[in-house]
Amino acid sequence: MSNKIEEQRRISINELPIEIPDFTSTYEPKDSIIKKWIINWILDAVSKNQIKENDILPHKKDISDYLGVSIGTVQNAIRYVEDEGYLKSKQKLGTMISNSSNPLKHNIKLTSKREKAILAIKKAIIQKEYKIGKPIPSTRKMSEFLGISQNTARLAYEYLCSVGILESMQMRGNDSNWYLKTIPNISGKEVKQIENMAADTLVYKLTNELKVYLSENYIIGDKIPSQEELANKLNVSVKTIHDCIKQLNKESIVISRRGRYGSILAQNPLSPAFEPLKESSIFAKAEDAAFYNYQKIETQLVNLINKNYKPGDKLPSIKDLARKYEVSTNTIRKALVSLEQDGFITFGRGRFGGTFVIEKPEGTEKQSYQWLSINPNYI
């Protein structure tokens, strides 16, 4: 194994194309532009024998400096390229050139994740009766609704754009407003094909392995190892373990808390008949608490717009809204950006700038325990 690692070569940053992407000539997201740039470079360099399978990419920091973008943007682009089958990441080694000619490699991740997301989004469009020419939820909102990663939702949205179902407009940074162009059709064959797909993604497999491991080594109420410890034990990335723990939280097998409280085994993973551990923490789950404040404000802003404003009207300034709701301007800004991503408002610059209503969102008066950082089950 050590000999194999020694043979692997890290690609120099100087081997990347001299001509870098022009991010100012298009409204396309930077990570999407970089994805295409990387794929084109890999195809060209492999054909010329300049790089080969298992060569390691330059460090992400070096690539971000080379392109003049953030590390997060490079990370997103690399994930997209991985989903296309041209790259693969290995724990403690790095991101390597993959054998993109292997169709199985391309299909395992792409088919099981993106294709299911595509079908789920099609169903959501039909069931919720979204209107042609109107905005649909942002990738963030859709990922929360479907329980998938935002990257997977973005990949699915981009595919639906490529086949004429969606249209991407009005870019803001790396975000986009997505509009419905045509109503999708779902064939019976397509539904059956997706339903029969083997759920053999890495996360699915590791989640099952983790269930066995937890069942054999821990009892209900025990604190399980940290995600880093589990990643080292199972020889996978921390990100993969994080996704596994999220799935175990959804199945109520573990209860994850913030900080030093960690994750607690709530029920035997292999004995679902066991009664789950009762809620014992006054604190809400970490993933729920993270968004409470600005989502509460977002809901209040939706109600404010519906009651007092119409399309074309200008909203109060961020400072005025912050004073009105007694929160920070940053919280107001986050809530407004979310509404902009969903296509309900737009920002204007200059002397006649401000925040303007494009379309009235569906209002909601729901505000109860869900907005507290306290666990309502405990109360």
Side-chain angles (χ1 to χ4, degrees):
M1 180 68 180
S2 59
N3 291 334
K4 184 177 181 180
I5 294 176
E6 289 174 359
E7 291 174 1
Q8 289 179 316
R9 181 182 73 93
R10 182 173 294 279
I11 299 167
S12 166
I13 195 69
N14 296 326
E15 295 179 64
L16 296 180
I18 296 177
E19 185 176 349
I20 65 174
D22 181 4
F23 300 113
T24 63
S25 63
T26 176
Y27 287 118
E28 190 175 4
K30 290 181 181 178
D31 48 17
S32 179
I33 295 173
I34 296 171
K35 177 196 78 171
K36 296 175 183 177
W37 180 76
I38 292 175
I39 290 175
N40 289 335
W41 164 68
I42 291 174
L43 290 173
D44 181 64
V46 167
S47 68
K48 296 176 180 177
N49 293 321
Q50 295 172 343
I51 60 174
K52 63 181 186 300
E53 185 177 0
N54 292 329
D55 280 356
I56 303 173
L57 280 188
H59 294 292
K60 296 182 181 71
K61 175 67 166 60
D62 293 338
I63 298 176
S64 70
D65 290 342
Y66 185 74
L67 296 177
V69 298
S70 69
I71 295 180
T73 299
V74 171
Q75 178 67 52
N76 283 345
I78 287 176
R79 285 177 180 170
Y80 297 154
V81 178
E82 285 180 346
D83 283 330
E84 294 289 345
Y86 295 97
L87 293 174
K88 58 185 177 183
S89 293
K90 285 197 175 181
Q91 184 79 6
K92 300 179 181 179
L93 288 180
T95 304
M96 297 177 287
I97 304 299
S98 179
N99 180 9
S100 58
S101 63
N102 183 349
L104 179 61
K105 186 187 299 293
H106 176 79
N107 286 334
I108 286 178
K109 199 174 184 182
L110 190 63
T111 301
S112 59
K113 285 188 174 181
R114 190 195 69 172
E115 297 301 329
K116 286 184 178 179
I118 289 170
L119 180 61
I121 292 168
K122 285 183 178 180
K123 285 183 177 178
I125 290 172
I126 295 172
Q127 292 174 352
K128 294 185 175 293
E129 299 181 343
Y130 293 120
K131 305 299 183 184
I132 292 177
K134 299 295 184 181
I136 67 169
S138 65
T139 53
R140 178 181 66 80
K141 291 282 189 181
M142 187 62 76
S143 66
E144 291 174 1
F145 174 70
L146 297 178
I148 59 178
S149 72
Q150 189 170 350
N151 282 334
T152 301
R154 171 74 71 82
L155 285 169
Y157 272 35
E158 288 181 349
Y159 171 81
L160 293 173
C161 282
S162 71
V163 296
I165 293 174
L166 298 182
E167 186 174 9
S168 175
M169 299 174 63
Q170 195 176 341
M171 305 305 304
R172 181 176 176 84
N174 280 338
D175 296 315
S176 172
N177 288 340
W178 307 87
Y179 291 79
L180 184 61
K181 196 171 181 181
T182 59
I183 302 296
N185 293 317
I186 303 177
S187 66
K189 181 180 179 181
E190 184 181 20
V191 173
K192 187 175 181 180
Q193 178 185 0
I194 298 297
E195 290 176 346
N196 290 338
M197 283 180 179
D200 57 356
T201 64
L202 180 60
V203 171
Y204 179 87
K205 290 179 178 178
L206 260 296
T207 300
N208 286 334
E209 287 185 27
L210 197 53
K211 287 179 180 179
V212 174
Y213 172 75
L214 295 176
S215 177
E216 292 177 347
N217 295 278
Y218 298 90
I219 62 174
I220 295 174
D222 280 353
K223 181 179 178 179
I224 67 175
S226 68
Q227 294 183 12
E228 185 175 359
E229 291 177 84
L230 290 172
N232 289 331
K233 182 170 187 63
L234 298 176
N235 196 28
V236 295
S237 69
V238 175
K239 171 68 168 60
T240 300
I241 291 296
H242 175 73
D243 291 341
C244 293
I245 295 297
K246 282 177 62 177
Q247 180 59 36
L248 294 180
N249 269 280
K250 289 180 182 179
E251 297 179 25
S252 299
I253 291 172
V254 302
I255 299 174
S256 295
R257 303 299 176 201
R258 307 177 85 178
R260 63 185 178 86
Y261 296 99
S263 297
I264 306 297
L265 187 65
Q267 64 171 313
N268 188 318
L270 303 184
S271 303
F274 276 66
E275 182 180 356
L277 182 70
K278 294 187 187 311
E279 295 287 350
S280 58
S281 173
I282 192 170
F283 300 106
K285 292 183 179 181
E287 61 268 27
D288 295 333
F291 295 106
Y292 283 157
N293 206 27
Y294 95 79
Q295 286 190 337
K296 175 179 71 173
I297 296 301
E298 183 180 338
T299 299
Q300 292 175 335
L301 289 175
V302 165
N303 292 328
L304 175 72
I305 292 170
N306 277 320
K307 291 178 180 178
N308 301 287
Y309 297 89
K310 62 182 183 297
D313 285 351
K314 182 178 179 180
L315 295 180
S317 69
I318 291 178
K319 287 184 179 180
D320 289 341
L321 290 172
R323 283 194 290 268
K324 175 180 175 63
Y325 294 110
E326 298 181 341
V327 295
S328 70
T329 55
N330 189 47
T331 298
I332 295 293
R333 188 176 291 106
K334 284 183 178 180
L336 289 175
V337 167
S338 179
L339 291 176
E340 187 215 19
Q341 290 173 350
D342 289 338
F344 298 122
I345 64 171
T346 187
F347 298 116
R349 295 182 178 181
R351 179 180 177 185
F352 301 102
T355 305
F356 298 89
V357 177
I358 297 177
E359 182 175 333
K360 297 184 71 168
E362 295 180 3
T364 175
E365 297 291 343
K366 292 180 181 178
Q367 288 186 35
S368 55
Y369 285 123
Q370 62 180 316
W371 302 126
L372 296 175
S373 292
I374 303 298
N375 187 342
N377 294 324
Y378 179 90
I379 295 174

